[in-house]
Amino acid sequence: MNDAPPPVYADSLDIPVLFRDGPARRPYPQWRTALHAPWDSAAAFPAGDGWYAPTTTWREIIKAATEVGRDVTPNRQQVPQLARGELVARVSPLYA
């Protein structure tokens, strides 16, 4: 019996983002079914309002989740349980 090759999964994924350049009302239901335009430049904002699909990786999502908020570095040495609990609280919603 021959072994099948392991499945290959892409490391990147597209996340739908609603971009608006100012305050606006809640999105209409048809906005959720609108086609997503590619977010071409990571360094600049899109030219107009609408749904975009920037490409990212899970590593970048987890990195952003752990870096948001206050710095936990001082707590790592003084109160390691508190620092670990705070990092778990930031990352655990991503497992859902």
Side-chain angles (χ1 to χ4, degrees), residues 15-22 35-55:
I15 299 176
V17 173
L18 176 59
F19 178 77
R20 294 187 269 188
D21 60 359
L35 294 176
H36 300 104
W39 191 311
D40 296 331
S41 174
F45 289 110
D49 295 350
W51 284 99
Y52 292 89
T55 303

Side-chain angles (χ1 to χ4, degrees), residues 9-76:
Y9 298 104
D11 189 34
S12 62
L13 62 140
D14 293 336
I15 299 176
V17 173
L18 176 59
F19 178 77
R20 294 187 269 188
D21 60 359
R25 295 178 42 186
R26 294 175 65 181
Y28 296 107
Q30 60 268 26
W31 285 14
R32 289 189 290 248
T33 59
L35 294 176
H36 300 104
W39 191 311
D40 296 331
S41 174
F45 289 110
D49 295 350
W51 284 99
Y52 292 89
T55 303
T56 188
T57 63
W58 279 109
R59 288 180 201 90
E60 291 174 354
I61 293 171
I62 293 173
K63 182 175 182 274
T66 56
E67 291 177 348
V68 71
R70 65 181 177 173
D71 187 18
V72 296
T73 307
N75 290 341
R76 287 174 134 175

